[in-house]
Amino acid sequence: MIQRIENSLSLKFPKKDKKFLVLGIECTAHTFGVGVVNHGKILANVRDMYKPVKGGIIPMESAEHHRDVAEIVYREAFEKAGVSKNEIKAIAVSNAPGLAPCLIAGLEFAKKKALELNVPLVPVNHCIAHLEIGQSVGARDSVLLYASGANTQIIAFAAGKYRVFGETLDSGIGNFIDTFARHVGIAFPGGPEIEKKAKNAKTFIELPYSIKGMDVSFSGMLTKLKKLYDDGYKLEDLSYSLQETAFAMLVEAAERALAHTEKNELVLGGGVACNKRLQEMCKIMCEERGAQFYTLPNDLLVDNAAMIAYTGEIMFNAGIMEKNIEKVDIKPRERTDDVVVEWR
Ligand code: AMP
Ligand code: MG
C-alpha cells in the first residue's frame, strides 16, 4: 500500500524551497539512469545503456549491467546537478513495467540509497512517466503516442485513470525495427541506422498495413520485409517503406485517440520518437486537425531517469510515497490502467 499523506506536503516543503529535490532511478530494460529534479526543473539526467554484443537484450545481462554502473551513474548525477545528498527528499524508482531482473537490480539500488539518505521511495510506472514528462515542454492534458522499444501504446488520462486507447498486438515498434535491422546485419539499436538508410531511398514498396481500431501489429510487415530483403530488394527502399507504413499506422491510431478523447494535444514519446520522420508525420496530422504537437529533446524521449524523477516529484507533492521501503516491490507486468492515480 502506498501511503497517502493527507496534509499538503507543500506546507512541509514550501514550493520556494530550493533544497526540495527528488532523485529518480530508471532501470526497466536496457538503460540504467539517475536523474535529479527540483520543482520540475531537470538538474541531471545521466544514463548508461546496456548494449548486447550480439542479438537482442538478455535480461540477466542487462541487470548485471545495471549493478555494474549504478554507483558511477549515481555519483555522476550528483556532480551534474551540483547538489549534495542531504538535499534529496525522496527517491523515485521505475518499479513497473519491465524486465524483472532489471527491475530487481534497480529497486535494490533504490532501496539501498533510500536507507542511506533516510528518504521515502516513490514507485513510478515507466509508461506514465513518458507521458508526464510532456508537461516539461508545456503539454497539459495530452494524448501520448508512446513509441519505444518494448512498448507501443496510445495513452491518455480519462475518467480518473491513464487509459490505453490503442496498442501493439505483437511487438513494440522499436523491437520490430531492431529485429528487421538485425536481419540485415545492423546491430542494436537499429532504429537510427534504418532512419539514415531511409533518406537514400528511391522507391516506395507496398507493405502490410495492419491496424484494427486503434491497435496495430507489425509481425506481418516484419515477415514481408525480411523476405523482400532476402529477394534482393534495396535496404534503403525497404527502410523508407517500413517507416512510411509503420509510422502512418501509429499516426492514424493517435489521430483516432485524439478524436475519441476530444483532447487537442499530442505528445510523442519513447525512443522511436527520436525519428525525425515520425515527428514530422505527427506534426502534420496535428496541424491538420488544429491540435498542439509536443515532442521532447532526445535525452527525454529515450528511457531516462529525469522523467522518473519528474513524475516522482509530482506524486510526492500529492503525498504519494512509501516510507516503509521494504514494502515496495517490482511490478513487471503492471499495465498503465492498473495504476491508481491520486495525483491529478
Ligand atoms: P526506448 O526503449 O524508449 O529507450 O527506445 C529504444 C528504441 O528506440 C530502440 O528500439 C531504437 O532502435 C529506437 N530508436 C532510437 N532512435 C531511433 C530513430 N531515430 N528511429 C527509429 N527508432 C529509433
Ligand atoms: Mg520507455
Side-chain angles (χ1 to χ4, degrees):
M1 245 312 265
I2 303 305
Q3 189 178 349
R4 194 180 150 79
I5 310 286
E6 288 309 330
N7 293 336
S8 166
L9 278 159
S10 56
L11 292 175
K12 230 169 157 184
F13 304 114
K15 284 257 178 269
K16 294 276 176 291
D17 181 356
K18 287 233 163 38
K19 297 212 161 60
F20 182 100
L21 299 164
V22 174
L23 182 128
I25 294 176
E26 162 58 29
C27 58
T28 55
H30 44 65
T31 294
F32 183 86
V34 176
V36 180
V37 162
N38 176 223
H39 299 310
K41 188 165 176 254
I42 295 158
L43 304 183
N45 185 19
V46 182
R47 254 175 325 120
D48 197 292
M49 188 176 170
Y50 154 76
K51 286 197 178 150
V53 186
K54 196 170 163 276
I57 298 173
I58 300 165
M60 293 302 279
E61 272 185 16
S62 184
E64 204 177 304
H65 158 269
H66 291 2
R67 289 196 176 91
D68 287 347
V69 303
E71 286 290 350
I72 303 164
V73 172
Y74 181 77
R75 209 176 316 132
E76 204 183 315
F78 277 99
E79 278 163 24
K80 282 258 159 67
V83 298
S84 72
K85 297 197 171 119
N86 57 20
E87 292 173 274
I88 302 296
K89 296 292 183 273
I91 294 183
V93 56
S94 58
N95 71 324
L99 303 170
C102 302
L103 295 171
I104 291 170
L107 184 59
E108 267 171 18
F109 186 76
K111 285 182 175 176
K112 183 176 144 198
K113 293 300 170 190
L115 273 179
E116 260 176 47
L117 305 183
N118 191 25
V119 295
L121 282 179
V122 184
V124 173
N125 176 290
H126 173 98
C127 306
I128 290 178
H130 272 291
L131 196 154
E132 295 291 15
I133 192 66
Q135 293 186 53
S136 71
V137 288
R140 285 294 164 259
D141 185 21
S142 47
V143 168
L144 169 72
L145 171 53
Y146 174 29
S148 83
N151 301 296
T152 299
Q153 294 184 329
I154 292 145
I155 305 170
F157 188 77
K161 273 186 169 191
Y162 287 94
R163 296 178 193 272
V164 178
F165 287 91
E167 64 188 314
T168 178
L169 299 173
D170 41 44
S171 78
I173 174 115
N175 284 359
F176 149 68
I177 297 174
D178 295 339
T179 308
F180 174 62
R182 199 152 66 232
H183 183 81
V184 304
I186 298 169
F188 172 86
E193 198 56 36
I194 294 291
E195 181 177 15
K196 275 189 211 143
K197 296 276 179 214
K199 291 203 175 102
N200 297 317
K202 294 209 166 60
T203 315
F204 176 77
I205 300 155
E206 196 157 323
L207 296 169
Y209 186 94
S210 184
I211 176 160
K212 297 184 177 88
M214 286 185 239
D215 291 334
V216 294
S217 97
F218 301 109
S219 54
M221 201 189 313
L222 177 62
T223 307
K224 180 85 182 185
L225 280 165
K226 284 179 174 171
K227 183 171 186 313
L228 290 171
Y229 179 79
D230 295 343
D231 288 347
Y233 280 79
K234 285 212 163 59
L235 180 57
E236 287 77 6
D237 292 341
L238 294 173
S239 301
Y240 170 71
S241 309
L242 175 159
Q243 289 195 169
E244 294 303 305
T245 312
F247 296 168
M249 285 159 47
L250 296 183
V251 174
E252 181 182 333
E255 181 166 23
R256 286 214 189 123
L258 283 170
H260 176 76
T261 58
E262 298 183 346
K263 295 191 194 283
N264 59 8
E265 290 179 352
L266 180 73
V267 171
L268 175 63
V272 182
C274 297
N275 188 292
K276 290 282 176 277
R277 179 61 180 145
L278 178 57
Q279 293 184 4
E280 183 185 25
M281 286 166 83
C282 288
K283 192 160 172 270
I284 293 169
M285 181 271 281
C286 285
E287 274 167 12
E288 282 177 356
R289 54 177 300 118
Q292 274 290 331
F293 173 63
Y294 297 96
T295 192
L296 295 136
N298 281 3
D299 59 352
L300 295 177
L301 286 175
V302 295
D303 285 355
N304 69 87
M307 69 179 188
I308 305 301
Y310 189 93
T311 307
E313 187 183 50
I314 294 171
M315 293 169 69
F316 184 74
N317 277 335
I320 301 159
M321 72 189 77
E322 184 54 80
K323 285 185 177 164
N324 184 354
I325 58 171
E326 281 318 313
K327 279 192 183 164
V328 180
D329 204 354
I330 61 162
K331 294 181 179 171
R333 292 185 176 276
E334 180 176 70
R335 285 191 48 90
T336 305
D337 43 15
D338 288 339
V339 177
V340 179
V341 181
E342 292 184 301
W343 63 90
R344 285 182 67 126

